[in-house]
Amino acid sequence: MTEELVNRLRQISIQDLVQPAKPEDAKILQEWQETGVRFAASDGRLEKAYYTAVEKLLACIVPMDGSDPVLQEGGIYLGCWLESTGTINAELLSRLVPSVSQTTYLSFAAHQREDGLLPYKLTEDGPSYRQIQLVTPLARSVWNHYLLHGQDRIFLKTMYTAMSRYDEWIARHRDTRGTGCVEAFSTFDTGHDLSPRFWHVPDTPYRNDPAACHPDSPVLPFLAPDLTANIYCQRMYLARMAEELGESGLEWKAKAEISLDRLFRYCYDEDEQFFYDRDRNDELVRVQSDVLLRVMACEVGDQDLFDKVLRRYLLNTSKFFARYPFPSIAMDDPRFDPSSAYNSWGGPSNFLSLIRAPHAFEAHHRYVELTWVMNPILAALSRAQRFAQNLSPWTGEEGFTETYSPAILCLLDYVERLCGIMPVGSDQLWFTGLLPVDMDHGEVVAGNTAYSRTVNGQHFELVITQDHLMVYREGSLHIQGPSGIRLVTDREGRLESVIGMSVRTIKGELIYQGKSIPILIKGNEMQCYTDGVLKTFRDIGIIYPSYQ
């Protein structure tokens, strides 16, 4: 079975499985080919869904205004949004079609206003500046792209300059109350359409001016935790960029610390361990929403804080751990509406939340817990008829719109994180040896799987069965071990560490460099490989689902 699967992987031709529909597609597919990324499964519908996703992704990569192709949101959203397409979507695409990600980032810098404001979206009609619409920090996405692809200093300098000017605009216009927090003037500033968080708040800023708050609103402006966390994280990455470019990052770090301090001072309820908006009357807006996950994805808080919110909220089946996580509002909130039939952040599980989530979990080394999110979503995507904006947290049925790039990228990203080969930073590869779980009605999702990727001219393949994983380098068996683990190597494939990826303790042996290495590793445990043996570096245990 293993030999048959790896042979089929090697015979897969992207051109045979993905049909281009427009002139630009041929070049994009060629770039995909150069990554060497392929996926094969012995059973189920996930393999077919994977290549359908690749084909649908092409429909979301189009030129605008005569430019090179950029990533668009897809579905009914004809354009590129800073909160999503220009940040987290492009960050995921960077591992697959990096030229399009870079063009997308640079498009926002190219359309920066003279006063420093970046457009919140780009369309065929030009840039729009009506609101800010911030979620994923742009600087983090840019930095990760920079590390992955040769560290292009011209690109980094261009983006650093643009983001520095944007930070000045935010500080100048979105702190009217002098708290040091970033203020929301409207619903669309956070992209939270129809969320109870913004009931009785206008969708757009006053007179469509992003620097103007509605003077007659009884509650605005909000001190917004997700916006404040965004700027905190943004400033931390700007500090890294400054140092990379030969400047001091101390000023950025100092500004970041102020943002972090104000976030906890004004927006954090210590008793409830939750982040809330604070309105103009100094009242907390007690709506428990995906704001929590957004703040965590901005690298806020230590291990202890993340573990607490994971236990109390994110893995709580009465809060956010729905059968198909993560709902946009806590399920025990009386305002919760699970309908996914329209663009709503009032209940359904949105794919933008799902593609933002891994960073929050992985930044805090909660790898096993993340798999409990990915498995039901992959099961739902494997049977979906279209790539919708959201899905039902109860049934996993796809909801509003179709050919939506966050949903498409979610499938591609989750496959790579669960059973693929993922480049990380400038010098690491993750080989993850898990199989998608047959979550729904016993229906097989994938069976055994195989995945390939070319890195620095070397071709790697990963084959996973119920009991084993095998890594091939240039066609020869390189590492062999038990399934249920993640191998961390450098870009040459040299073993650096192993991470336990299952709730069970994995016992067996690694075969590496002609040696048999005993392995006994618990979930989330990280063991470093030194002097021919594995030694525990970190062991934080597992946080289990709760039913409070």
Side-chain angles (χ1 to χ4, degrees), residues 2 45 61 63 65 69 104 112 139 148 153 213 215 220 236 240 346 375 388 424-425 463 511 543:
T2 299
R45 295 190 281 186
I61 299 175
D65 193 27
T104 303
Q112 187 168 35
L148 277 175
R153 286 176 175 266
C213 187
L220 292 178
M236 289 300 291
R240 296 187 193 186
N375 272 308
V424 179
V463 180
I511 308 298
I543 292 178

Side-chain angles (χ1 to χ4, degrees), residues 353-363 370 374 413-414 417:
S353 289
L354 289 166
I355 62 176
R356 292 166 181 151
H359 192 82
F361 280 71
E362 290 171 349
L370 178 60
M374 294 193 291
D413 179 59
Y414 279 18
R417 289 180 190 275

Side-chain angles (χ1 to χ4, degrees), residues 362 365-371 486 499 501 524 538:
E362 290 171 349
H365 315 296
R366 289 294 169 192
Y367 307 107
V368 174
E369 293 85 347
L370 178 60
T371 68
R486 170 175 288 161
I499 297 171
M501 294 295 294
N524 290 324
R538 180 176 58 241

Side-chain angles (χ1 to χ4, degrees), residues 143 153 160 236-250 252-253:
W143 179 254
R153 286 176 175 266
Y160 173 76
M236 289 300 291
Y237 277 88
L238 286 170
R240 296 187 193 186
M241 293 180 188
E243 292 167 354
E244 182 76 2
L245 294 168
E247 302 176 12
S248 172
L250 292 178
W252 285 120
K253 290 177 183 177

